[in-house]
Amino acid sequence: MDCLFCKIIKREIPADIVYEDDEVLAFNDINPQAPTHILIIPKKHIATLNDIEEADLAIIGRLQYTAAKLAKERGFAEDGYRVVMNCNEMGGQTVYHIHMHLMGGREFTWPAG
Ligand code: AMP
Ligand code: ZN
């Protein structure tokens, strides 16, 4: 399968990996939009948020749990941070393997652009 993030999971493409377990991989975004900008992905290939099935619910929860864990480790959990998941073209998705953006270390505005 020609998926960039699956290739990162299989170590066919290098990435700056910051966390891994049986279900989840996290690595620094190549084009960071904040002092900390980590992508948290399921090891299972799921193309978009629309493709999540009921059997995937635990994996999705693990993405969010991992984001909070990494935010605490890095010391910005209490100050606050932003998590984002983009879906399809209008949502700004460019890589079609779902990923949670964890951004911290600066103040974020709302609404998002
Ligand atoms: P999205 O636009 O929500 O699909 O986010 C895709 C993200 O993947 C962007 O923030 C990119 O900077 C990031 N990205 C693309 N290629 C790589 C890569 N090889 N390693 C790490 N991050 C990447
Ligand atoms: Zn994939």
Side-chain angles (χ1 to χ4, degrees):
M1 193 190 303
D2 196 29
C3 169
L4 176 66
F5 288 174
C6 282
K7 286 178 180 165
I8 287 176
I9 292 165
K10 288 186 273 180
R11 307 305 205 264
E12 291 172 8
I13 288 176
D16 189 6
I17 293 168
V18 298
Y19 176 80
E20 180 170 25
D21 63 32
D22 287 348
E23 291 180 321
V24 162
L25 187 73
F27 49 93
N28 286 319
D29 196 293
I30 207 168
N31 182 24
Q33 302 300 312
T36 294
H37 186 169
I38 295 170
L39 300 177
I40 305 162
I41 69 173
K43 288 189 169 174
K44 177 183 177 184
H45 179 86
I46 302 171
T48 79
L49 292 177
N50 295 330
D51 300 304
I52 293 168
E53 296 171 349
E54 206 156 352
D56 302 325
L57 294 184
I59 298 176
I60 304 309
R62 186 161 288 277
L63 297 182
Q64 188 67 72
Y65 179 72
T66 303
K69 190 161 71 174
L70 292 172
K72 288 175 198 165
E73 273 177 23
R74 280 161 175 72
F76 56 73
E78 289 305 318
D79 284 344
Y81 54 94
R82 178 69 54 85
V83 290
V84 175
M85 294 182 84
N86 298 323
C87 184
N88 279 338
E89 201 175 339
M90 294 277 276
Q93 185 174 7
T94 59
V95 178
Y96 283 78
H97 179 131
I98 61 166
H99 46 280
M100 181 173 282
H101 296 259
L102 167 64
M103 291 173 284
R106 69 171 171 87
E107 193 165 350
F108 295 91
T109 58
W110 190 259

